[in-house]
Amino acid sequence: MVSEMLKRDFGTQATRNERDSTDKAQEKRTSKSVKPPANKAQQTSNVSSNIPNFRSPYENSPSGLDESFSDIDTNIDFDDLLPEIGEFGCFQKILFSLMIPFCYISAYVYLSQIFMTLPAEHYYCFVHELKLIKSEEERKQLSIPKLKDGSYSRCEMYDTNYTAVYHATNRSQYINSSLPRIPCRDGYVFSQNEQFFTANIEFGWVCKNDFYATYAQMIFFLGSVVGCLGYGHFADHCGRLAALVSSSSLAFFGSLFTGMTKSFWSFAFTRLVVGASFDTCFTMIYILMLEYVGPKYRTFVANMSLAMFYSPFTMVIPWIAIYLHSWRSLALYGSIPLAFGLFSYCCLPESARWLVSRGKIDDAINILKKVAARNKRVVSKNYWKRFRESCELFYKEEFEGRNFTVCSIFKRRRLARYMVFMCLIWMIMSLLYDGHVRAASVLDKENVAVVFTIACATELPGDLLVIVTLDRFGRRWCAFTFTMLSGLFSLLGANLTNATSTLVAALAGRFFANVCYNIGLQWAAEVLPTVVRAQGISLIHTLGFAAMLLSPPVIYLSNLSLALMLNTLGALGILGGFICLFLPETLNEDLPQTLSDGNNFGKNQRMWHQPCCGQGKKRIVHVKHTWHEGSSLRTQSRGEFRSKKLHRLALVKPQKSNANAFIQTSRVPSVISQNTEVLERVQNLRPEDSVSKPK
C-alpha cells in the first residue's frame, strides 16, 4: 500500500483532492464501525472518547504533524507528574520516617528465629539417681566421661548402677574412666550462666536431637517461599497496603503464639506462619516509598532506608534478646511493636500506580492531590485532566492487552540464559548472605551478642559502599568483585589457625556478602524486560528463599568443623563471582522494554566491558528508540507495544527527491509492525508535508 502511494504523481491537484475525499470517506466508515467498549468498569466507560484521532490533526493543520506530535506529548505518566507534585517534599519525608517500624518488623522477624534456636554451649547428661549430690563437680566425675582435651562429654554418660554409687560410703572408688558409655537417658543439665534461655534448652534439642533446631529454621524459610508466592498474587489483586497489613498481622500473631508453644510441631507451625510474612512486611513499604519519590532520589532512599533504620535494628535485636533472657519473652514482648503494622491503613497511602492498574483512577488522583497539597505545590486542572486521560488509556490497554508470563522469558535463547544465570546468582547470593548472618552465632559461642552486633554493624558501611560504587563501576564488575571477595575471605578464615584471625576474616566475608546481596536484586530488575519484570523478579526472589533453606544445614556443618562451614561459604562466593561475568552490564544502558529488547540486550558488549573505563562495545550501529512507552504507568505490564498514543515518535524530515528515504527515515519498526493508528497515519504522509520533531 505504501509503495503504491509513493509511485503516484504527488504534483497533480486532482489526485490530491481524490485522495483527501477517499480518506474522509474511510474516516466516516471507521467512526461508524467503532463502538464503545462493553461495561467492563465504570472508570473505563469513556476511554474511547479520550483517545484522539491521529489523522485529523494532520489533515487540518498546515504545519503537518506538529500538532499531532504535540497531542502525543500531552500524555503524562508518574515520572512526569512527580516533579510537579514534589519529588522529595514533606510528604515523602514523612513516608520515609514511617519506614522505621517496618524496618524493626523485618529485623525482628529475620533475627528473632535465629536467637530462639541458638545452640547451647555448656551442658551434660542428667543422672536422676545423683541429683541430690550437691557438688556438681562430684556428679560429673561419677557419671560423665572426659574427652581428650580434658573437658567433660556433653552427650554421653557412664553405664553403671548409679543407685549403688549414691548410697556408697566412699563414692570416689566408683570413679572409673574405663566404664562403658551410653547416650544421655534422663535429659540434660544446662549451665545457669547461659546468657539466653533458648528453645533448644527447654525442649532438649541437643546431641541426637539437635537437628530439630535446624528443621525449625528450614520450616521458617519454607514459609517464606509460600508467602512470597502468595503475597505476590495477593498484592496485585488486593493492593500493596492490604498486603503490608496482612503480612504484619501474620508476623504479630505468629510471634505471639510462638511464645505459647509446647512442642516441636506447634513451634514449627508458628514459625511457618511468621516466615510467610518475612520479606513482604518490608517490601511493600519499600515499594510504596520508591513509587512516591522522584527518580533522582530513588537510589539514595532505597539504600539509606536500610543503612539508617534496618542496620541499627539488627544490631539491637541481640541485646533485646539478652535483656529478656528467654525465648518465650522474646516472642511475646519483642512482637509488641509489630502491632503498629495493624494500623497502617490509618497513616499510609495506597499505591497510586496500583490503583491506576485496577482502574481506580479517581482514587489515585485524590491521593496524588493530597501529596501535592502536603508538599505545597499547585498543579493546574488541565494538567490533572491530561494525567487522567493518560491513566484511562493505559488502563484500557492493559486490560485488553496480550498476556505475558514468566514462561515467555524462556522462549528466547539469550534471554532464557540471562534468566538462568540471574536465578543462580541470586540463589548463591542469598545463601551466602544468610549463611554469614547465621555464622555469627557459631564463630564465638562465648560472646554471641558481641559478635552478632559487630557482624550486623557491617550492614551500614556495606549500604554506603553500594551507593558510592554501583553507579560508577557498574553492576557486573561490582557484583563480581564483592562476591569473589566474600568467598576469598571465607576461604582465608577457614584455613587460619588463630581463632581471632578466623573471626576477623569471616566478618570481612560477611561485609562483602552484604554488598553483593544489595546489588543482586536491583541488577536482575534492570536486565529483565518491562513486560515480564514483576513476574521474573518474583520467581528469582522465591528461588532465593528456597536457597536459604540450605543455610541452616550449612551452619550445622560447624558441629563437625568450623573450617568446613567457611570453606562451603567460600566456594559459593567464588562460584557466584564467576557467574556474574556472564550477565550484561546495565549501567548507562537503555533498559529493555519488550521481550525482543531483552533478548538483544547486552549482545553488543564484550567480556571486558567496563562503563567507567570505556565503552567496551562492538562497533555496531544501533537502531535508536525514538519513543517513550510511559513505563511508569505500567504497573502490571502485560502487553508488548500495545500503546497507540504514548509512543512518542520523533520523525525525521524526508528528502523530497527520494521517496524510499522518506519511508526508511520516518518509520519506527517496532511501532509500524503493529496494526495501529500510528501506522495508518504514517502511511498517509505526503512528501511535501513539513515534518518536524516534537518540542
Side-chain angles (χ1 to χ4, degrees):
M1 177 180 177
V2 178
S3 60
E4 294 178 358
M5 290 176 56
L6 294 173
K7 291 179 181 179
R8 294 177 184 175
D9 183 7
F10 290 94
T12 61
Q13 182 66 31
T15 303
R16 184 179 305 171
N17 294 336
E18 181 182 356
R19 183 173 62 257
D20 291 341
S21 61
T22 303
D23 289 341
K24 292 179 181 179
Q26 183 179 357
E27 185 175 353
K28 291 180 180 180
R29 291 194 300 270
T30 304
S31 62
K32 292 180 180 180
S33 61
V34 175
K35 296 180 180 181
N39 295 329
K40 296 178 181 178
Q42 183 177 0
Q43 290 85 355
T44 58
S45 59
N46 61 344
V47 170
S48 298
S49 62
N50 291 324
I51 303 177
N53 190 311
F54 283 94
R55 297 176 58 195
S56 56
Y58 159 73
E59 291 173 351
N60 298 328
S61 173
S63 60
L65 292 178
D66 285 347
E67 291 186 14
S68 64
F69 282 128
S70 176
D71 183 70
I72 293 176
D73 277 338
T74 59
N75 293 280
I76 305 168
D77 60 19
F78 277 103
D79 288 343
D80 299 325
L81 181 64
L82 282 173
E84 301 297 325
I85 65 176
E87 294 184 273
F88 196 66
C90 180
F91 175 86
Q92 286 85 355
K93 292 175 183 177
I94 294 175
L95 188 59
F96 184 70
S97 64
L98 289 175
M99 296 181 72
I100 296 176
F102 293 98
C103 286
Y104 172 82
I105 294 174
S106 181
Y108 172 80
V109 168
Y110 182 38
L111 298 181
S112 64
Q113 46 105 21
I114 297 178
F115 281 90
M116 289 179 186
T117 56
L118 276 178
E121 182 63 19
H122 303 289
Y123 58 92
Y124 58 94
C125 295
F126 173 70
V127 180
H128 180 73
E129 294 84 353
L130 304 180
K131 66 179 181 179
L132 297 179
I133 299 177
K134 295 182 179 180
S135 175
E136 182 180 29
E137 184 64 26
E138 185 179 359
R139 292 198 305 265
K140 288 182 178 181
Q141 290 176 354
L142 292 172
S143 60
I144 309 301
K146 286 189 175 183
L147 302 177
K148 294 180 179 180
D149 60 359
S151 62
Y152 288 101
S153 174
R154 296 185 300 180
C155 300
E156 289 182 324
M157 58 186 289
Y158 290 128
D159 186 12
T160 187
N161 186 356
Y162 288 104
T163 302
V165 171
Y166 175 73
H167 291 288
T169 304
N170 184 12
R171 297 191 187 106
S172 60
Q173 64 181 343
Y174 287 94
I175 299 175
N176 186 0
S177 60
S178 62
L179 291 173
R181 304 178 181 185
I182 59 173
C184 301
R185 64 186 182 188
D186 297 327
Y188 306 89
V189 178
F190 294 92
S191 173
Q192 297 297 323
N193 296 324
E194 291 286 350
Q195 291 182 322
F196 188 69
F197 187 76
T198 66
N200 298 34
I201 296 176
E202 181 173 336
F203 295 124
W205 295 342
V206 293
C207 296
K208 63 179 180 179
N209 296 324
D210 62 353
F211 58 86
Y212 282 114
T214 301
Y215 287 167
Q217 301 283 354
M218 296 177 67
I219 289 172
F220 174 87
F221 283 113
L222 180 62
S224 301
V225 173
V226 175
C228 185
L229 294 173
Y231 271 114
H233 182 81
F234 182 83
D236 280 344
H237 288 79
C238 300
R240 291 7 177 186
L241 196 54
L244 181 65
V245 173
S246 61
S247 62
S248 299
S249 302
L250 280 184
F252 176 66
F253 290 109
S255 297
L256 285 180
F257 286 112
T258 295
M260 305 175 187
T261 55
K262 301 296 183 181
S263 65
F264 167 77
W265 293 110
S266 58
F267 181 86
F269 176 76
T270 56
R271 301 319 295 168
L272 180 74
V273 172
V274 175
S277 69
F278 179 53
D279 188 65
T280 306
C281 58
F282 177 74
T283 301
M284 290 302 140
I285 185 67
Y286 186 82
I287 291 174
L288 279 176
M289 184 70 232
L290 294 185
E291 286 184 349
Y292 284 106
V293 171
K296 64 180 180 179
Y297 293 101
R298 286 172 188 162
T299 300
F300 173 81
V301 169
N303 289 279
M304 289 306 296
S305 62
L306 297 174
M308 294 175 61
F309 307 142
Y310 179 77
S311 297
F313 280 129
T314 59
M315 299 167 62
V316 170
I317 294 295
W319 300 103
I320 294 177
I322 291 177
Y323 176 78
L324 296 174
H325 191 65
S326 169
W327 72 274
R328 291 189 183 275
S329 298
L330 179 62
L332 293 173
Y333 299 114
S335 63
I336 292 177
L338 274 63
F340 177 85
L342 305 181
F343 304 99
S344 301
Y345 276 117
C346 302
C347 52
L348 290 176
E350 181 55 271
S351 168
R353 299 170 197 260
W354 178 81
L355 290 171
V356 170
S357 73
R358 306 304 294 177
K360 301 177 181 180
I361 299 173
D362 290 336
D363 294 339
I365 292 178
N366 289 335
I367 292 176
L368 294 171
K369 286 182 178 179
K370 292 179 181 178
V371 175
R374 174 68 68 175
N375 291 337
K376 299 181 180 180
R377 304 295 290 269
V378 178
V379 181
S380 65
K381 294 183 178 179
N382 185 47
Y383 202 90
W384 288 117
K385 179 181 177 182
R386 288 184 291 164
F387 179 71
R388 182 191 299 274
E389 292 175 354
S390 302
C391 292
E392 290 174 345
L393 176 61
F394 266 110
Y395 172 71
K396 176 189 176 184
E397 292 176 345
E398 293 213 359
F399 188 82
E400 298 177 347
R402 297 173 293 172
N403 290 327
F404 288 90
T405 65
V406 71
C407 296
S408 304
I409 297 175
F410 297 96
K411 295 179 181 180
R412 289 163 171 80
R413 182 177 300 178
R414 179 182 292 271
L415 187 58
R417 186 167 70 248
Y418 289 162
M419 186 64 179
V420 171
F421 285 146
M422 282 186 292
C423 290
L424 289 175
I425 290 172
W426 183 243
M427 292 174 71
I428 291 173
M429 288 180 175
S430 299
L431 181 53
L432 188 65
Y433 173 77
D434 190 65
H436 274 288
V437 171
R438 296 175 183 277
S441 63
V442 298
L443 289 172
D444 188 351
K445 296 181 180 180
E446 298 293 335
N447 302 287
V448 174
V450 175
V451 174
F452 220 97
T453 302
I454 296 174
C456 292
T458 62
E459 296 267 5
L460 177 58
D463 294 334
L464 297 178
L465 184 60
V466 171
I467 297 175
V468 172
T469 60
L470 195 59
D471 289 340
R472 180 180 298 272
F473 300 102
R475 281 61 165 155
R476 182 171 62 170
W477 286 106
C478 283
F480 166 77
T481 303
F482 296 132
T483 309
M484 288 286 290
L485 286 175
S486 179
L488 290 174
F489 275 104
S490 299
L491 293 176
L492 178 63
N495 293 278
L496 293 175
T497 56
N498 183 273
T500 303
S501 300
T502 299
L503 177 61
V504 172
L507 291 176
R510 162 69 186 276
F511 169 75
F512 291 113
N514 298 336
V515 180
C516 66
Y517 186 81
N518 291 340
I519 295 173
L521 196 58
Q522 178 179 346
W523 194 15
E526 294 173 345
V527 172
L528 290 176
T530 301
V531 293
V532 289
R533 183 167 294 149
Q535 299 176 66
I537 292 300
S538 178
L539 174 62
I540 293 173
H541 216 176
T542 303
L543 292 176
F545 285 130
M548 286 184 179
L549 285 168
L550 301 177
S551 60
V554 170
I555 303 305
Y556 186 79
L557 295 175
S558 63
N559 294 329
L560 303 176
S561 171
L562 188 62
L564 182 60
M565 178 194 73
L566 292 176
N567 278 323
T568 303
L569 294 175
L572 288 171
I574 299 297
L575 177 62
F578 278 116
I579 297 179
C580 289
L581 294 177
F582 293 95
L583 281 179
E585 178 57 62
T586 58
L587 180 62
N588 302 325
E589 297 283 349
D590 293 331
L591 300 186
Q593 301 287 343
T594 69
L595 294 176
S596 299
D597 287 343
N599 193 54
N600 294 324
F601 188 71
K603 194 174 183 180
N604 60 315
Q605 294 181 7
R606 300 181 186 271
M607 178 64 74
W608 57 86
H609 173 58
Q610 173 54 267
C612 69
C613 301
Q615 292 299 320
K617 297 181 180 180
K618 298 178 182 178
R619 295 182 178 179
I620 61 175
V621 179
H622 296 283
V623 178
K624 185 177 181 181
H625 291 294
T626 54
W627 42 262
H628 173 66
E629 194 180 4
S631 58
S632 70
L633 276 172
R634 295 184 178 276
T635 55
Q636 293 179 333
S637 299
R638 296 187 178 179
E640 187 172 20
F641 290 120
R642 295 193 311 274
S643 176
K644 305 183 180 94
K645 184 177 180 183
L646 290 178
H647 287 164
R648 301 176 182 176
L649 301 177
L651 302 185
V652 181
K653 184 176 181 180
Q655 298 178 3
K656 297 182 180 181
S657 60
N658 193 336
N660 290 329
F662 163 68
I663 291 297
Q664 292 174 1
T665 57
S666 63
R667 79 165 50 182
V668 180
S670 60
V671 179
I672 298 302
S673 61
Q674 307 294 326
N675 187 19
T676 66
E677 295 180 55
V678 179
L679 169 62
E680 181 182 356
R681 179 162 54 85
V682 173
Q683 288 175 335
N684 287 277
L685 291 177
R686 308 184 186 96
E688 64 270 20
D689 291 325
S690 173
V691 184
S692 60
K693 294 184 180 180
K695 298 182 180 179

